[in-house]
């Protein structure tokens, strides 16, 4: 993992450390000093003592071989640029204030921090187009940003890229009540869309823990998965059209609202999941499912992982069309949540179980669905698949179950340092990795496994009080190699961003990646859109 | 000792309610219904008392059309021993409920009647008080703590009142209505749901109990409260003073 940290105050100690390091590092320093005397480094984790900071410095430079260097072909901002943007967008949408820049430069996990000097807040597609046209002509690197809730460092600058944040583009353009097709701007917050649709009797096809802050443009750009994928499918299936702005300022209007349209190559799929590296998504047209009245949710306990798998098989068979979510968490995850949050109580307090499963069903007939779910649960209990479980009796209890599952990432953040991995693996093998990691790490750190069992998606998290290279060595590249061996994906839904930009070969062939690079070169010849991310750095000419 | 707990089926507390277009009431078609939260607390308290050995049986009672049995099932799944369902048309007013309860009390002879303080659909807060008056029993309403003394046959109840907490000592049999802070209701576990299927539910009609259900109240109209007007963001203190003076007339 690449990290950029330091502070200008520590230049003195920096010098002594640097003198001990490899030549590639001095190259790094040289480039940065050449750039500007301003703080080219930033401290990320709160460091309580200088000694700790030195350790972090050391760690940063010890992985010098994977260090990224600022692309020298990108220009630096000057006052003419600022005046141009102010003229184009107005004073209020051009932010240079240090405090505001601080937040947009840092990602949600406080792991990655850039040093951008400029935040732009366009309010329309036309403004985005003009910004990109100008930046392309000046060769200024740009980072598209929405809710900044990404987990792989893809939404924040690496160096001084200009941040183009679409939060001000938050209008709902239209909604067709008959077909359920929603057209809205990219800056709409997911939770707001969910509330809007609620009034109309519909729901969004995706739901994630970050819904209070994440924006639909970002969701689409990262092909976000979420909790309901097992029922409604991925965004590739639900997005009917989108409008995107290319690097040179051209606006691609692919904002169709048609269910079927086989005219030519379906380019929108390129943008869905490209993490802002091929274009900035400005509008989305999405198919929303009707809101069904009967939602039931059960919180269950299983003794071992094979029971969880069998339960999943049975659920898909017996609950069939009404199954809308199938999530799992292990004891470690449950303990973490109970420990970190006050208002949360364990629905199954009798004893600590090994695995917890959350099953949600959504259907139109309350009594029929409830009976179906109860029958399934009781027969699973008789077959020994479930050791205990509770069924929510009202919406409040249902929310409390979701709070536990959705709260795991937050609890991990609060517990200290966390190494996050998001892997797609064959269901039978999934938990073997967690067990392996526990053996490998021993007492060094706590290994937590949870995720969307229904989609074969494991969120493997390693939690430790502090970041430590000894822990990182045990994890990478072992986790990636393990995943690759089982033909899994090293990033099921989080994307590659900065964190996994050089890891794509674990899951994709060289020829495939080469073709991706060609497409990137075609759509963004100067490489200004979200540089240093998604594709390996070696491919940037 | 037997404890009787009346429970009510209401629109789920977390649902955003809508008024029917003809303004005759709240939309209940296709809307999630659950047990009234205060009734859940009452049932939880009864179960706690039973688990501590001070009571032998907990009987859940509900009144209304046949779909009310769902609520009874929830109560049985939580741990009640028996259920009683009194068939009646919807929307019984508290006085009718109290009259029916009086007859049931005469049949069942419970030592304690625990109810929720109010139902979240009508917010009447009357049933507990009315049944206590009809039976001539002492009442401890808005209970936030209940302690039973079996030997002396009294219940010490902490009540949440406007001025703070009031502690009452009631001779049993008594009526207690529960407030929010009394306890946290338990979840319905699968083993209990399984057991609930075989627990008996007795059905009555008001005629069998010799109770006349008639309402002296007629709902004329139900409307939404007026929408809150949006606030205005002002740009300077002068503008604020001007608005306070000339528009709001407060200075």
């Amino acid at each position: 993992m690449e990290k950029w940290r330091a502070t200008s105050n520590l230049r003195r100690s920096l010098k002594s450390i640097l003198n001990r390091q490899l030549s590639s590092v001095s190259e790094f320093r040289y480039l940065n000093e050449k750039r500007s005397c301003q703080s080219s480094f930033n401290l990320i984790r709160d460091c309580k003592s200088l000694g700790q900071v030195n350790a972090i410095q050391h760690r940063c430079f010890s992985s010098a071989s994977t260090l990224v260097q600022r692309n020298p072909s990108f220009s630096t901002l000057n006052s003419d640029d600022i005046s141009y943007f102010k003229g184009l967008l107005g004073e209020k949408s051009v932010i240079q204030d240090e405090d505001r820049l601080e937040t947009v430069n840092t990602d949600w996990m406080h792991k990655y921090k850039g040093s951008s000097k400029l935040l732009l807040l366009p309010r329309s597609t036309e403004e985005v187009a003009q910004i990109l046209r100008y930046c392309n002509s000046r060769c200024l690197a740009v980072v598209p940003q929405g809710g900044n809730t990404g987990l792989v460092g893809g939404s924040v600058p690496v160096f001084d890229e200009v941040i183009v944040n679409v939060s001000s583009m938050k209008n709902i353009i239209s909604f067709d009540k008959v077909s359920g097709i929603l057209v809205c701007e990219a800056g709409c917050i997911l939770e707001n869309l969910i509330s809007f649709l609620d009034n109309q009797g519909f729901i969004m096809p995706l739901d994630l823990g970050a819904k209070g802050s994440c924006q639909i443009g970002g969701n689409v750009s990262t092909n976000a998965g979420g909790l309901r994928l097992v029922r409604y499918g991925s965004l590739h299936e639900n997005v009917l059209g989108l409008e995107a702005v290319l690097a040179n300022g051209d606006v691609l209007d692919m904002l169709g609202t048609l269910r079927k349209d086989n005219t030519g190559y379906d380019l929108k799929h390129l943008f869905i999941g490209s993490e802002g590296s091929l274009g900035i998504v400005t509008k989305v047209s999405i198919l929303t499912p009707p809101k069904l009245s009967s939602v039931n949710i059960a919180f269950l306990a299983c003794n071992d992982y094979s029971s969880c798998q069998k339960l999943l098989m049975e659920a898909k068979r017996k609950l069939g069309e009404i199954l809308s979510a199938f999530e799992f968490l292990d004891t470690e995850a449950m303990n973490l949540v109970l420990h970190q949050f006050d208002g949360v109580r364990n629905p199954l307090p009798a004893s600590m179980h090994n695995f917890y499963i959350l099953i949600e069903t959504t259907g139109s007939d309350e009594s029929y669905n409830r009976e179906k779910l109860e029958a399934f649960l009781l027969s699973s209990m008789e077959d020994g698949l479930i050791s205990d479980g509770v069924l929510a009796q009202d919406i409040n209890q249902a929310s409390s179950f979701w709070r536990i599952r959705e709260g795991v990432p937050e609890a991990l953040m609060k517990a200290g340092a966390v190494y996050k991995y998001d892997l797609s693996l064959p269901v039978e093998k999934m938990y073997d990795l967690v067990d392996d990691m526990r053996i490998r790490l021993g007492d060094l750190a706590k290994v937590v496994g949870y995720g969307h069992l229904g989609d074969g998606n494991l969120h493997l998290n390693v939690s430790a009080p502090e970041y430590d290279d000894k822990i990182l060595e045990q994890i990478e590249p072992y986790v990636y190699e393990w995943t690759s061996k089982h033909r899994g994906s090293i990033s099921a839904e989080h994307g590659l961003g900065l964190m996994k930009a050089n890891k794509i070969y674990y899951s994709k062939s060289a020829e495939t990646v080469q073709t991706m690079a060609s497409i990137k070169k075609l759509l963004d010849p100067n490489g200004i859109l979200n540089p240093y991310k998604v594709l390996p750095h070696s491919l940037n000419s | 000792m037997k404890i009787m707990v009346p429970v009510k089926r209401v629109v789920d507390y977390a649902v955003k309610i809508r008024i029917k277009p003809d303004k005759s009431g709240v939309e209940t078609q296709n809307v999630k219904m659950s047990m009234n939260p205060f009734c859940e607390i009452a049932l939880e308290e009864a179960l706690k008392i039973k688990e501590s050995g001070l009571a032998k049986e907990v009987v859940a009672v509900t009144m209304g059309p046949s779909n009310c049995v769902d609520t009874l099932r929830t109560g049985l799944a939580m741990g009640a021993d028996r259920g009683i369902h009194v068939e009646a048309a919807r929307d019984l007013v508290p006085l009718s409920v109290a009259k029916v309860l009086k007859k049931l009390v005469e049949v069942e002879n419970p030592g304690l009647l625990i109810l929720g303080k109010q139902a979240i659909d009508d917010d009447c807060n009357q049933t507990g008080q009315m049944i206590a008056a009809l039976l001539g029993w002492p009442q401890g309403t808005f209970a936030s703590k209940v302690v039973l003394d079996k030997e002396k046959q009294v219940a010490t109840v902490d009540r949440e009142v406007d001025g703070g907490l009031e502690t009452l000592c009631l001779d049993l049999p008594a009526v207690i209505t529960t407030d929010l802070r009394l306890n946290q209701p338990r979840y319905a576990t699968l083993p209990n749901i399984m057991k609930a299927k075989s627990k008996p539910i007795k059905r009555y009609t008001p005629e069998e109990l010799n109770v006349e259900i008639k309402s002296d109240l007629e709902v004329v109209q139900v409307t939404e409260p007026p929408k809150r007007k949006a606030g205005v963001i002002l740009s300077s203190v002068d503008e604020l003073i001007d608005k306070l003076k000339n528009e709001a007339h407060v200075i």
Side-chain angles (χ1 to χ4, degrees):
Chain A
M1 275 186 266
E2 291 87 0
K3 298 171 184 127
W4 286 259
R5 326 163 185 207
T7 180
S8 40
N9 302 337
L10 297 162
R11 285 295 206 69
R12 289 166 269 134
S13 45
L14 206 60
K15 264 199 161 159
S16 60
I17 295 171
L18 284 175
N19 287 334
R20 283 186 262 134
Q21 295 305 320
L22 314 160
S23 56
S24 57
V25 167
S26 50
E27 188 179 40
F28 183 92
R29 179 181 68 157
Y30 166 72
L31 276 167
N32 278 305
E33 277 184 28
K34 192 175 143 195
R35 252 188 329 124
S36 67
C37 343
Q38 266 273 315
S39 48
S40 39
F41 304 90
N42 287 292
L43 211 123
I44 300 182
R45 293 302 294 181
D46 352 323
C47 290
K48 287 160 199 134
S49 72
L50 203 60
Q52 267 178 302
V53 173
N54 281 344
I56 292 176
Q57 294 299 328
H58 183 76
R59 175 186 38 231
C60 168
F61 293 121
S62 71
S63 49
S65 54
T66 50
L67 217 57
V68 175
Q69 293 163 6
R70 185 185 183 280
N71 190 332
S73 62
F74 293 143
S75 316
T76 325
L77 275 177
N78 57 36
S79 49
D80 289 335
D81 300 322
I82 310 283
S83 324
Y84 173 80
F85 289 129
K86 283 193 173 159
L88 170 66
L89 306 170
E91 291 267 345
K92 283 207 178 135
S93 303
V94 176
I95 314 290
Q96 293 177 283
D97 167 55
E98 294 258 325
D99 291 324
R100 282 186 76 175
L101 281 173
E102 180 88 11
T103 21
V104 291
N105 263 312
T106 318
D107 79 321
W108 183 76
M109 303 222 305
H110 299 295
K111 218 180 198 182
Y112 300 100
K113 188 164 181 185
S115 39
S116 170
K117 294 284 170 297
L118 188 62
L119 165 68
L120 298 176
L121 300 166
R123 278 153 316 200
S124 69
T125 309
E126 190 45 47
E127 285 182 359
V128 176
Q130 293 196 18
I131 293 173
L132 284 184
R133 194 173 304 133
Y134 182 80
C135 290
N136 196 30
S137 67
R138 276 274 294 132
C139 216
L140 286 167
V142 164
V143 170
Q145 191 183 79
N148 197 7
T149 56
L151 299 170
V152 288
S155 53
V156 290
V158 178
F159 296 107
D160 60 344
E161 297 91 282
V162 174
I163 303 175
V164 177
N165 190 309
V166 296
S167 305
S168 303
M169 297 169 56
K170 49 192 174 179
N171 294 321
I172 294 175
I173 298 172
S174 73
F175 180 67
D176 179 349
K177 280 193 96 134
V178 174
S179 56
I181 297 177
L182 172 72
V183 181
C184 61
E185 288 183 328
C188 293
I189 294 178
L190 186 60
E191 194 159 55
N192 292 345
L193 291 176
I194 294 174
S195 319
F196 167 77
L197 288 174
D198 197 66
N199 281 332
Q200 312 287 335
F202 288 80
I203 57 168
M204 284 298 278
L206 81 161
D207 192 8
L208 26 149
K211 56 186 154 230
S213 314
C214 67
Q215 296 169 11
I216 190 70
N219 291 143
V220 167
S221 300
T222 54
N223 191 20
L227 307 158
R228 299 267 153 64
L229 196 133
V230 69
R231 170 72 172 258
Y232 299 116
S234 82
L235 280 173
H236 280 291
E237 298 163 50
N238 293 303
V239 170
L240 296 178
L242 53 89
E243 181 192 69
V245 182
L246 296 176
N248 60 5
D250 281 351
V251 176
L252 280 187
D253 180 1
M254 304 174 286
L255 199 63
T257 51
L258 305 168
R259 272 305 252 123
K260 299 162 90 169
D261 182 10
N262 279 349
T263 51
Y265 307 143
D266 202 352
L267 290 181
K268 66 173 185 286
H269 289 291
L270 269 184
F271 294 92
I272 300 174
S274 65
E275 304 180 50
S277 60
L278 295 179
I280 299 187
V281 172
T282 46
K283 294 199 182 82
V284 176
S285 127
I286 188 163
L287 182 64
T288 64
K291 183 175 159 86
L292 298 173
S293 52
S294 157
V295 179
N296 283 304
I297 179 167
F299 201 85
L300 313 163
C302 293
N303 276 331
D304 51 47
Y305 186 66
S306 66
S307 312
C308 297
Q309 286 175 61
K310 290 199 198 107
L311 195 64
L312 173 61
M313 266 167 36
E314 287 299 306
K316 283 195 165 155
R317 189 155 306 165
K318 300 235 178 87
L319 295 175
E321 73 283 4
I322 62 169
L323 181 67
S324 59
F326 195 102
E327 300 285 315
F328 95 105
L329 35 148
D330 63 9
T331 330
E332 292 287 358
M334 179 62 124
N335 281 340
L336 207 66
V337 173
L338 292 175
H339 188 64
Q340 294 289 344
F341 294 132
D342 279 332
V344 171
R345 58 174 170 143
N346 187 348
L348 299 164
S351 55
M352 282 319 284
H353 303 270
N354 290 331
F355 294 93
Y356 296 93
I357 303 268
L358 193 146
I359 297 184
E360 190 197 56
T361 62
T362 309
S364 43
D365 188 333
E366 172 75 42
S367 45
Y368 169 68
N369 290 335
R370 204 181 173 77
E371 270 174 47
K372 204 165 165 175
L373 181 59
E374 271 182 23
F376 163 71
L377 292 174
L378 294 177
S379 76
S380 303
M381 193 140 189
E382 277 163 25
D383 292 341
L385 292 178
I386 313 176
S387 54
D388 202 358
V390 290
L391 193 55
Q393 299 297 316
D394 54 45
I395 298 182
N396 239 356
Q397 291 184 359
S399 315
S400 65
F401 294 168
W402 274 120
R403 180 86 188 91
I404 296 175
R405 164 60 185 89
E406 284 182 327
V408 182
E410 208 186 313
L412 281 162
M413 276 270 293
K414 284 185 171 177
V418 56
Y419 294 93
K420 237 181 221 311
Y421 297 90
D422 162 46
L423 313 160
S424 262
L425 290 166
V427 176
E428 326 83 67
K429 295 274 180 297
M430 243 166 78
Y431 208 72
D432 290 346
L433 178 56
V434 183
D435 286 331
D436 272 357
M437 290 309 299
R438 286 216 172 103
I439 296 172
R440 266 180 88 86
L441 286 166
D443 284 328
L444 277 180
K446 227 187 315 192
V447 181
V448 172
Y450 65 98
H452 315 288
L453 191 55
D455 316 324
N457 183 191
L458 171 73
H459 288 309
L460 175 72
N461 281 258
V462 177
S463 172
E466 278 168 9
Y467 284 106
D468 186 351
D469 265 350
K470 280 208 294 284
I471 302 177
L472 185 57
E473 268 162 29
Q474 291 297 323
I475 307 177
E476 291 188 28
Y478 182 75
V479 164
Y480 295 137
E481 286 169 358
W482 206 103
T483 308
S484 190
K485 200 166 57 176
H486 294 97
R487 291 190 64 89
S489 163
I490 53 143
S491 184
E493 55 181 6
H494 292 170
L496 295 168
L498 182 60
M499 179 180 164
K500 304 179 204 176
N502 288 318
K503 310 282 194 298
I504 192 174
Y505 292 113
Y506 284 106
S507 294
K508 287 281 184 313
S509 74
E511 297 79 27
T512 318
V513 180
Q514 195 53 52
T515 312
M516 289 186 203
S518 309
I519 296 175
K520 165 78 173 170
K521 193 87 186 130
L522 179 70
L523 292 178
D524 183 13
N526 290 328
I528 60 164
L529 287 174
N530 227 0
Y532 319 112
K533 299 172 190 153
V534 186
L535 295 176
H537 302 134
S538 52
L539 289 177
N540 293 334
S541 51
Chain B
M1 180 176 72
K2 206 187 294 187
I3 307 182
M4 189 182 275
V5 182
V7 295
K8 188 175 181 188
R9 180 174 185 261
V10 297
V11 176
D12 190 304
Y13 143 77
V15 166
K16 213 188 296 200
I17 54 168
R18 264 174 265 281
I19 311 279
K20 282 198 263 211
D22 61 359
K23 295 198 180 169
S24 60
V26 167
E27 185 68 67
T28 50
Q29 289 273 35
N30 278 333
V31 161
K32 176 105 182 150
M33 308 289 274
S34 323
M35 189 188 289
N36 182 31
F38 294 108
C39 299
E40 276 181 1
I41 295 174
L43 190 52
E44 173 66 24
E45 195 59 26
L47 292 170
K48 278 206 169 105
I49 295 174
K50 178 179 150 197
E51 279 161 8
S52 69
L54 296 167
K56 265 210 324 266
E57 206 187 12
V58 174
V59 183
V61 179
T62 197
M63 299 171 208
S66 53
N67 51 20
C68 288
V69 178
D70 293 340
T71 321
L72 270 190
R73 289 265 167 238
T74 304
L76 294 174
M78 277 172 76
D81 302 292
R82 275 191 297 126
I84 298 178
H85 172 221
V86 181
E87 289 261 9
R90 275 209 62 221
D91 294 348
L92 289 179
V93 289
L95 187 55
S96 309
V97 173
K99 286 182 185 166
V100 171
L101 274 179
K102 176 163 186 252
K103 292 288 177 189
L104 287 174
V105 163
E106 285 166 15
V107 170
E108 295 280 341
N109 272 315
L112 196 56
L113 201 59
I114 311 186
L115 308 90
K117 72 170 180 182
Q118 65 197 56
I120 58 169
D121 53 1
D122 54 25
D123 279 344
C124 281
N125 197 333
Q126 297 165 0
T127 313
Q129 292 86 334
M130 284 176 173
I131 180 68
L134 288 176
L135 290 171
W137 285 9
Q139 55 180 277
T141 52
F142 316 123
S144 66
K145 191 161 118 183
V146 173
V147 178
L148 281 184
D149 189 333
K150 199 165 189 178
E151 282 173 27
K152 296 195 218 142
Q153 285 287 295
V154 292
T156 310
V157 176
D158 280 1
R159 302 180 60 220
E160 284 189 21
V161 294
D162 287 345
L165 286 176
E166 183 187 52
T167 311
L168 293 181
C169 197
L170 315 169
D171 289 331
L172 296 181
V175 172
I176 298 179
T177 71
T178 62
D179 208 327
L180 210 52
R181 270 166 276 273
L182 180 56
N183 59 43
Q184 212 175 16
R186 62 193 61 185
Y187 293 111
T189 61
L190 289 179
N192 281 341
I193 294 176
M194 200 145 59
K195 283 186 220 153
K197 290 197 188 298
S198 52
K199 289 181 185 168
I201 294 184
K202 183 119 204 277
R203 280 190 165 70
Y204 289 103
T205 60
E207 296 74 41
E208 281 172 24
L209 297 168
N210 277 326
V211 178
E212 197 194 323
I213 306 253
K214 71 168 170 71
S215 175
D216 299 317
L217 301 170
E218 179 199 327
V219 173
V220 173
Q221 195 189 70
V222 179
T223 53
E224 272 184 27
K227 286 224 179 328
R228 198 162 161 251
K229 283 201 293 249
V232 178
I233 295 185
L234 304 172
S235 52
S236 70
V237 176
D238 293 321
E239 205 184 328
L240 174 65
I241 296 177
D242 175 60
K243 280 203 189 272
L244 284 176
K245 209 182 223 173
N246 301 322
E247 272 185 43
H249 301 292
V250 291
I251 50 169

